[in-house]
Amino acid sequence: MAVRVNGRAADTIAVADRGLAYGDGIFRTVELLDGVPRLWRWHWQRFAADCAQLALPLPDEGLMLAELAHAAEGLPRAVAKLTLTRGVGARGYAMALDVTPTLVVTASPWAGYPAELAADGVRARWCALRLARQPRLAGAKHLNRLENVFARSEWSDPDIREGLLLDSEGWVVEGTMMNLVLVSGGRVLTPVLDACGVSGALRAWLADWLPTQGLVLEEVRLSPDDVLAADEVWLVNSLAGVWPVVRLDERCWQAFPLARRAQAALASA
Amino acid sequence: MAVRVNGRAADTIAVADRGLAYGDGIFRTVELLDGVPRLWRWHWQRFAADCAQLALPLPDEGLMLAELAHAAEGLPRAVAKLTLTRGVGARGYAMALDVTPTLVVTASPWAGYPAELAADGVRARWCALRLARQPRLAGAKHLNRLENVFARSEWSDPDIREGLLLDSEGWVVEGTMMNLVLVSGGRVLTPVLDACGVSGALRAWLADWLPTQGLVLEEVRLSPDDVLAADEVWLVNSLAGVWPVVRLDERCWQAFPLARRAQAALASA
């Protein structure tokens, strides 16, 4: 694994970094082909939004792309992770006015998901953990991810690929690592992420692609019953693509006409 | 600052550590006199409880004490920070079954709070940020602390020493870095921390000390009006001790008979 920290080869960060101390930072995971990130426009859009939400200085986009290319050198297909923290700070929670952020870029040879998962579909489950509602942090892919850790640790059956999460009020939010999309009566629905959840790059791509099909991605409140009543259920993220859900507990789905169109469009995106 | 990572002098951790990736770990801050931690019994009680709550393997207590003494060597009075993470993991949220945790111990010369703050009392404010309610994480001093970062960044007036936090339902929980205690009609009250908040070592000490005074620390739901109606309001943590609150917005307090007894007892604890 190639690791670069603030533009130099290094695989450690300071113990005093606020990323470790408080989870004070953000991250994104990106697929690279010959050093060029796929779906960059949407990754960058989300990354910039997260920087604004967390009051982190936005790095230069060209620098980020150069760092990604550098880290992935020699790898025809790679998965990269970008982490940006509020850097080394004095003791105490308050943000300093003069922040020198820490940018960590790692790249590894692609070890993504088998293509069959998108082709054949996946099984999912409901998680017992309920996401807390925190509007101040909702949508951002920040480094406070203990809820995801506990939710993902609820099951070990490798045939179950994802767990769906409700918030403390019982609304459906997302999977532990993927956004959720429903096709229901001709509409395309995804949970509104104003109280919790991560607004992913592929969700952003879908919001841009659907209008080319005469559709829109509607952000709405969804109950578990809405999920069970849907015509198609998808799990999406930028590394996995669009996974049709073929089984959720006892409910099964077989046909995914719109998911197939999205997968085809994504292949050439 | 002396820093030790897993028993060796080092001031960095691996970029792949789950403490950075997900805030997957816990921490505690401890005062050391000649290398010996003050209030250790209560720090250790809370640290062990946090390990259990986060399913982290509990380090050996003797090893922890030796690490603290080692880090504080040559410092007559020091402040130390213990951080325990779930260590370096593979990509993905799931906890591995075979965890090799990372233990980080840092020690610096004492730069704690002026003694006048405990003597003269402090001003506090209400924070606008509301804490999210997550029972799975409540009470633990884990590394997911973005809420504290944002709350503490709401004000910069150095005369205001602490901000009080409500949860999303409007219950009073704690300060950004301190627990809250009220004396009200002869009772001693502190917010129950079953939905959010950090259960601190000094709060645990108070729960043990009060019965020696014929009192008990009652964990209850408290509203902002309960705080304003209290006879004494204290902010407590192990580094600061017991701070009487002399002013909260427009409400002022002048006499703190029980706080003075607690301070005296704490001085010889």
Side-chain angles (χ1 to χ4, degrees), chain A:
Chain A
M1 185 169 74
V3 188
R4 295 175 61 81
V5 177
N6 286 341
R8 291 189 302 187
D11 59 2
T12 62
I13 63 158
V15 158
D17 196 282
R18 293 172 64 99
L20 174 65
Y22 307 133
D24 192 1
I26 58 176
F27 72 109
R28 290 277 156 184
T29 314
V30 179
E31 180 182 355
L32 300 177
L33 295 175
D34 290 322
V36 178
R38 285 201 64 202
L39 302 168
W40 177 249
R41 177 175 148 200
W42 296 276
H43 281 297
W44 180 250
Q45 176 193 114
R46 293 305 320 146
F47 189 85
D50 289 356
C51 279
Q53 189 171 342
L54 266 73
L56 287 165
L58 182 65
D60 179 75
E61 186 179 0
L63 175 80
M64 297 275 281
L65 288 168
E67 282 296 298
L68 283 167
H70 205 122
E73 221 165 72
L75 299 173
R77 191 179 186 194
V79 56
K81 184 173 174 178
L82 293 165
T83 305
L84 183 74
T85 81
R86 209 178 306 278
V88 171
R91 190 160 61 82
Y93 291 119
M95 302 175 195
L97 292 177
D98 54 333
V99 176
T100 306
T102 303
L103 175 66
V104 180
V105 179
T106 68
S108 317
W110 176 259
Y113 303 99
E116 306 89 77
L117 298 176
D120 302 342
V122 299
R123 283 181 60 190
R125 71 190 290 281
W126 296 103
C127 288
L129 180 136
R130 298 291 185 100
L131 293 173
R133 294 170 62 87
Q134 176 50 270
R136 186 67 183 80
L137 301 175
K141 195 157 182 172
H142 54 66
L143 299 172
N144 280 202
R145 300 258 74 99
L146 274 171
E147 292 184 319
N148 304 66
V149 169
F150 282 114
R152 184 58 191 85
S153 300
E154 286 184 17
W155 82 96
S156 54
D157 179 348
D159 287 341
I160 297 178
R161 287 288 175 165
E162 181 58 302
L164 299 187
L165 286 156
L166 311 185
D167 71 14
S168 56
E169 294 185 358
W171 299 109
V172 182
V173 181
E174 61 187 1
T176 65
M177 58 172 192
M178 305 180 82
N179 285 124
L180 178 72
V181 175
L182 307 183
V183 183
S184 207
R187 296 167 64 193
V188 188
L189 310 173
T190 194
V192 59
L193 302 178
D194 57 355
C196 40
V198 172
S199 179
L202 201 57
R203 183 177 181 272
W205 175 83
L206 278 169
D208 282 351
W209 172 73
L210 283 165
T212 70
Q213 310 296 304
L215 295 164
V216 289
L217 184 62
E218 297 179 52
E219 301 193 0
V220 294
R221 303 229 176 273
L222 292 171
S223 70
D225 282 346
D226 292 328
V227 177
L228 296 174
D231 303 313
E232 299 183 33
V233 178
W234 313 346
L235 291 162
V236 306
N237 78 22
S238 70
L239 293 191
V242 174
W243 284 354
V245 175
V246 292
R247 185 166 170 188
L248 174 62
D249 290 342
E250 299 312 306
R251 168 77 160 101
C252 297
W253 288 265
Q254 289 184 316
F256 300 92
L258 190 59
R260 297 310 177 199
R261 279 159 61 194
Q263 290 173 339
L266 186 58
S268 57

Side-chain angles (χ1 to χ4, degrees), chain B residues 123-165:
Chain B
R123 283 181 61 191
R125 70 190 292 279
W126 297 103
C127 288
L129 180 135
R130 299 291 186 98
L131 293 172
R133 295 171 60 86
Q134 177 49 271
R136 185 66 184 81
L137 300 175
K141 195 158 182 171
H142 53 68
L143 299 173
N144 280 202
R145 300 258 72 100
L146 274 170
E147 290 184 319
N148 304 67
V149 169
F150 283 112
R152 183 59 191 84
S153 300
E154 286 184 17
W155 82 98
S156 55
D157 179 349
D159 287 341
I160 297 178
R161 287 288 175 164
E162 182 56 305
L164 299 187
L165 286 156

Side-chain angles (χ1 to χ4, degrees), chain B residues 40-60:
Chain B
W40 178 249
R41 178 175 147 200
W42 296 276
H43 282 297
W44 180 250
Q45 177 194 113
R46 293 305 319 148
F47 189 85
D50 288 356
C51 279
Q53 190 172 342
L54 266 75
L56 286 165
L58 183 65
D60 179 75

Side-chain angles (χ1 to χ4, degrees), chain B residues 2-69:
Chain B
V3 188
R4 297 174 60 79
V5 177
N6 286 340
R8 292 188 300 187
D11 59 3
T12 62
I13 63 158
V15 158
D17 196 283
R18 292 173 65 98
L20 173 66
Y22 307 133
D24 192 1
I26 59 176
F27 73 109
R28 291 277 156 185
T29 314
V30 180
E31 180 182 354
L32 300 177
L33 296 176
D34 291 322
V36 179
R38 284 201 65 202
L39 303 169
W40 178 249
R41 178 175 147 200
W42 296 276
H43 282 297
W44 180 250
Q45 177 194 113
R46 293 305 319 148
F47 189 85
D50 288 356
C51 279
Q53 190 172 342
L54 266 75
L56 286 165
L58 183 65
D60 179 75
E61 187 179 359
L63 174 80
M64 296 274 281
L65 288 167
E67 281 297 296
L68 283 168

